Amino acid sequence: MSGRGWRAVAASVLISLVGVTISSILWQQRSRSTVESVSVRPARRSWADEQISQAEAKLRTLPGEANFYVELATGFMNKARESGDGSYYARAEAACQKAFQLDPDNYGALRLVAWIYGGQHRFVQAREAARRALARDPRDPWNYGTLGDALVELGEYPAAAEAFQKMIDLRPDTASYSRAAYIRELYGDPEGAIEAMNMALNAAGSRDSEQQVWCRSQLGNLFFNIGRIHEAGAHYETALKIFPEYHYALTGLARVRVAEQRYGEAVELYRTSLARVPTHEAAVGLGDLLTHLGRNGEASEAFRLLDVIEQINRANNIEPEPYMALFYADHDRNLDEALRIAEHAAQQSKNVRVMDTLAWVLYKKGRYREALAASRQALRLGMKEALFYYHAGMIHAKLGHAKQAREALRQALQINPSFHPRHAAQARAMLNALGD
């Protein structure tokens, strides 16, 4: 199907993706050498904690009841989303396996495993698990959500859009509206994405504050990505009034403060976020900012945390993501390993982010024509992602395509003039060099 055809499919759909955001970075233990300087505050007792405690209490009374293990697995998954702690995925999977031992036909466990596999980045298994659950109950909107999440990660966007549309037809709620937001963003409709995410926020129950702050953080990301910095900051700040240590909002607000050149505040926000949950995004953001400020020793410490996160992911059976390849390429290090990671990911999926990463790594390796082919794949949906256009512009410039380079770099800066503290400046410098 052509790019226009894909967009036509998406235009009729209301969707997004919770799984990716839930499952990107996981952690089980902190590296004393890298985070010892930040104080770790005790976590408050959350809704997910209550779910886990209640399920465990039921199991103490009736240890042979499979459905109680499903409740326990659900609590572990919600805790994973809330905390970013990848060990909860393995616990959830173990709880489901116990439910299957007690009741091999348990539908609750069957529908849950697709979510778990998605969290572990086992997207092919997640897709197949969701299809098995759908075969059991084609009227359950949950199954369309987990199926669509896996299809998005595998780059099967039209099928994902159809799955999400089915989900929202069956049950319009926070989960389905938030998926609407993501698919609209992917297909280059950020205003539609914001509209859908606002619907998700409004649908969130007043008692579920975690859903509210998650939706606020996603709204912040959507506004930031199109350069509406003030509105992005307002949503992150609102989220932090509800959950002062919500790491997604802390990292998002740090990016806003960088864009506002309020660097001291940004450093502290990144550090607080990392103390709460060490994530790739926060570690790279802090490292890049410290490098920009000339604090190279501290930047190296932040970057070393990435290795710790990778080790933790592997310990928790989390499949690797291409973000490390993008980090290596951005910082001109380990380029052979970056290429290995990116090519392996591209063999599994033609996801637009995977293809953009491959394009940037190939650019760094000097393979500009292959880079351009991958970049075109990344841009095929029309997603308004400034970084994609920046990469495309730099690749065109190397190939001597001055007109295309200028167009792509202008597009990057038009989408978000503050999309990256270093790359935005490099885009302007290249435009000047191209006589723009």
Side-chain angles (χ1 to χ4, degrees), residues 25 34-35 247 250-252 254-255 266-267 269-275 277-291 295-310 323-324 327 331 333 420 422:
I25 308 289
T34 52
V35 298
H247 68 95
L250 287 164
T251 299
R255 291 194 301 155
V267 167
L269 285 162
Y270 276 134
R271 289 195 188 283
T272 305
S273 180
L274 286 167
V277 179
T279 65
H280 172 272
E281 183 181 10
V284 173
L286 177 60
D288 281 343
L289 175 56
L290 291 168
T291 301
R295 295 158 63 176
N296 295 331
E298 294 172 79
S300 296
E301 282 293 301
F303 291 144
R304 274 198 285 275
L305 186 56
L306 295 173
D307 294 329
V308 178
I309 294 170
E310 278 301 288
Y323 60 72
M324 282 303 293
F327 168 75
H331 296 82
R333 61 172 74 173
H420 190 281
R422 182 159 45 92

Side-chain angles (χ1 to χ4, degrees), residues 328-342:
Y328 289 144
D330 267 345
H331 296 82
D332 295 310
R333 61 172 74 173
N334 300 341
L335 291 181
D336 289 340
E337 174 64 6
L339 185 60
R340 188 196 66 77
I341 295 171

Side-chain angles (χ1 to χ4, degrees), residues 18 67 82 86 98 141 190 255 260 324 333 389 392 426:
V18 177
N67 288 327
E82 177 186 283
K98 183 64 178 178
R255 291 194 301 155
E260 295 171 335
M324 282 303 293
R333 61 172 74 173
Y389 285 96
Q426 290 170 337

Side-chain angles (χ1 to χ4, degrees), residues 69-282:
Y69 280 99
V70 176
E71 291 181 23
L72 182 62
T74 303
F76 286 147
M77 289 302 291
N78 286 320
K79 188 64 179 177
R81 162 173 158 151
E82 177 186 283
S83 67
D85 183 342
S87 68
Y88 285 103
Y89 294 118
R91 298 184 207 182
E93 184 177 11
C96 278
Q97 292 305 321
K98 183 64 178 178
F100 283 132
Q101 288 176 14
L102 294 167
D103 176 10
D105 293 325
N106 189 281
Y107 175 67
L110 178 63
R111 69 198 287 274
L112 202 60
V113 292
W115 185 19
I116 297 168
Y117 290 153
Q120 295 171 321
H121 306 164
R122 296 155 61 185
F123 299 118
V124 172
Q125 290 171 274
R127 179 187 62 193
E128 299 314 307
R131 285 174 172 164
R132 288 195 297 274
L134 269 175
R136 283 279 301 274
D137 187 355
R139 298 291 300 170
D140 187 344
W142 171 278
N143 296 328
Y144 291 100
T146 54
L147 175 61
D149 291 348
L151 291 169
V152 163
E153 289 305 301
L154 292 169
E156 300 176 30
Y157 297 110
E162 291 175 12
F164 289 153
Q165 181 64 65
K166 189 69 176 177
M167 181 188 191
I168 206 166
D169 289 345
L170 289 168
R171 184 180 297 165
D173 60 6
T174 297
S176 53
Y177 288 138
S178 62
R179 286 171 165 87
Y182 191 63
I183 207 73
R184 284 180 166 184
E185 183 187 22
L186 281 169
Y187 278 93
D189 180 13
E191 296 296 337
I194 289 167
E195 177 188 23
M197 190 55 73
N198 270 315
M199 294 167 71
L201 176 63
N202 292 334
S206 59
R207 294 182 60 187
D208 190 347
S209 52
E210 196 278 337
Q211 277 199 341
Q212 291 182 33
V213 297
W214 185 84
C215 290
R216 290 281 184 189
S217 297
Q218 297 307 307
L219 279 166
N221 293 344
L222 288 167
F223 279 114
F224 183 87
N225 289 343
I226 57 173
R228 292 165 65 173
I229 304 302
H230 177 74
E231 288 148 295
H235 280 289
Y236 295 133
E237 287 171 346
T238 300
L240 291 171
K241 286 178 182 174
I242 300 170
F243 279 3
E245 296 184 340
Y246 196 66
H247 68 95
Y248 295 122
L250 287 164
T251 299
L253 189 57
R255 291 194 301 155
V256 168
R257 295 297 180 251
V258 172
E260 295 171 335
Q261 299 185 15
R262 295 162 65 178
Y263 298 132
E265 292 175 58
V267 167
E268 291 309 309
L269 285 162
Y270 276 134
R271 289 195 188 283
T272 305
S273 180
L274 286 167
R276 183 70 182 87
V277 179
T279 65
H280 172 272
E281 183 181 10

